[in-house]
Amino acid sequence: MRAVVVRAFGGPEVLEVADVPVPVAGPHQVLIRVEAATVNPVDLATRSGVLAQAGLMPARDMIGIGWDVAGTIEAAGPGVTGLVPGQRVIGLSDRLDVPLGTQADHAVLDADAVTGAPAGLSSAEAATLPLNGLTAAQALDRLDLVPGRTLLVTGAAGAVGGFAVQLAAARGLHVVAVAATEDEPLVRDLGAELFVPRTARLGEAVRALVPGGVRAALDAVVIGAAALDAVQSGGAFAAVVSGAAPPPLRGTRVFNHWIRADATRLSDLVALVEKDALTLRVAGAMPLDEVATAHRSLAEGGLRGRLVLVP
Ligand SMILES: NC(=O)c1ccc[n+]([C@@H]2O[C@H](COP(=O)([O-])OP(=O)(O)OC[C@H]3O[C@@H](n4cnc5c(N)ncnc54)[C@H](OP(=O)(O)O)[C@@H]3O)[C@@H](O)[C@H]2O)c1
């Protein structure tokens, strides 16, 4: 089968579509025929060597790329319950110790990282949900805000930020979104009540709209201390990028959230998608061998929605 891999770290030119054996589902794993796999910032970090330099992946001759997947189960290993061959599923490959990712003709995932795909949506749309939907949902869970509180979301037009705005609004939070001026209609459509265009003096700009500051912030870009300035003393701050968590000034609770695959939480998100309470956004779909083009487009910025590889 074909799989996107790198054999050396570098720019998009090191990406290769290699011919590799079809992987086999072990105990508590499933083999998925891949119909769509998104391209995410973490793929750029894997390809450039940032993850390896951080000591997060073992040295290997060849590293597979891709976290999100939508497809059809082809085989289930021993011990798998509730997932059967022929079933349309989505899942998240969050393990850095395995040789191949989801950007391939087939992918093996742990069964507890896989759930049924949302009905009535394309595989390209469905594949945009796991990584960024779960990151937003899990970070919001940890922020633990009661309805009526005010939440600042930075990078609100992006994948993590967009899901965070929608999920927070659905929880009854008042969302203050930070994005580029031209993204105001988009983020308001996603559920933001208040909008702040990108500015270096974020604390001041947010406090002008929300006297006393917001209760919490979910920083989906690397804004850090300037976003914490907008949070009231004793509030909470979630960062999702390594090194982006500022010191917990003024009695705030600051944490870095790292995604973990969770089929149960993912199926909650699927239910929201099926109720039209969560929007899946695809910026474009392309064949596997255009993966380098996808990396270049994502690195340039300005995409609204995810690029999806379709084997
Ligand atoms: N911790 C985890 O487990 C985890 C999981 C998933 C993602 N992440 C990380 O989360 C980050 C966001 O991922 P993503 O997939 O949401 O990326 P994305 O879709 O590219 O979204 C980032 C958004 O932030 C915008 N932006 C850039 N600078 C900004 C600023 N100063 N103020 C406000 N908005 C700004 C971008 O706009 P432009 O496109 O116009 O530049 C874009 O809309 C990435 O670094 C990713 O690696 C972490």
Side-chain angles (χ1 to χ4, degrees):
M1 69 162 195
R2 299 164 307 153
V4 176
V5 302
V6 294
R7 298 180 202 266
F9 299 124
E13 68 285 352
V14 303
L15 291 158
E16 183 190 332
V17 179
D19 198 13
V20 299
V22 176
V24 175
H28 304 283
Q29 291 186 320
V30 290
L31 174 69
I32 297 171
R33 181 164 49 74
V34 178
E35 289 159 8
T38 58
V39 178
N40 285 289
V42 67
D43 302 333
L44 279 59
T46 308
R47 179 261 293 156
S48 64
V50 168
L51 292 192
Q53 281 152 19
L56 294 174
M57 37 183 26
R60 225 186 276 126
D61 292 344
M62 193 177 82
I63 294 173
I65 309 284
W67 288 50
D68 280 324
V69 65
T72 302
I73 295 199
E74 215 158 82
V80 173
T81 53
L83 296 169
V84 291
Q87 186 179 354
R88 284 190 69 230
V89 290
I90 56 174
L92 180 73
S93 172
D94 64 345
R95 286 180 48 189
L96 299 173
D97 61 325
V98 296
L100 293 172
T102 58
Q103 293 167 14
D105 288 319
H106 292 85
V108 164
L109 260 64
D110 293 340
D112 60 8
V114 176
T115 195
L121 290 176
S122 68
S123 293
E125 290 169 307
T128 63
L129 183 61
L131 174 62
N132 299 302
L134 277 175
T135 300
Q138 292 170 352
L140 282 172
D141 290 348
R142 288 180 66 185
L143 286 171
D144 196 21
L145 300 168
V146 294
R149 295 289 198 189
T150 307
L151 173 74
L152 178 73
V153 178
T154 69
V160 173
F163 283 129
V165 170
Q166 286 191 290
L167 292 168
R171 285 176 183 220
L173 303 177
H174 303 292
V175 177
V176 185
V178 187
T181 307
E182 59 271 25
D183 286 321
E184 180 173 354
L186 166 69
V187 298
R188 284 199 185 271
D189 218 40
L190 294 173
E193 276 180 39
L194 298 171
F195 176 79
V196 178
R198 293 179 191 179
T199 164
R201 295 160 77 163
L202 191 56
E204 212 175 294
V206 171
R207 284 168 185 267
L209 287 175
V210 184
V214 292
R215 182 65 187 167
L218 197 166
D219 188 11
V221 286
V222 192
I223 291 183
L228 185 66
D229 286 344
V231 177
Q232 47 186 251
S233 298
F237 184 101
V240 295
V241 178
S242 183
L249 306 174
R250 298 179 287 104
T252 51
R253 175 171 65 90
V254 175
F255 61 90
N256 239 119
H257 181 72
W258 302 116
I259 178 82
R260 72 179 175 88
D262 179 346
T264 307
R265 199 72 183 87
L266 187 55
S267 64
D268 297 342
L269 299 181
V270 167
L272 289 176
V273 170
E274 289 176 339
K275 282 197 292 188
D276 273 341
L278 204 52
T279 314
L280 303 181
R281 297 179 289 151
V282 176
M286 47 187 72
L288 270 193
D289 57 12
E290 286 181 26
V291 59
T293 306
H295 277 227
R296 290 188 185 100
S297 298
L298 182 56
E300 268 169 26
L303 288 175
R304 295 296 171 257
R306 204 88 290 180
L307 288 173
V308 181
L309 298 175
V310 179

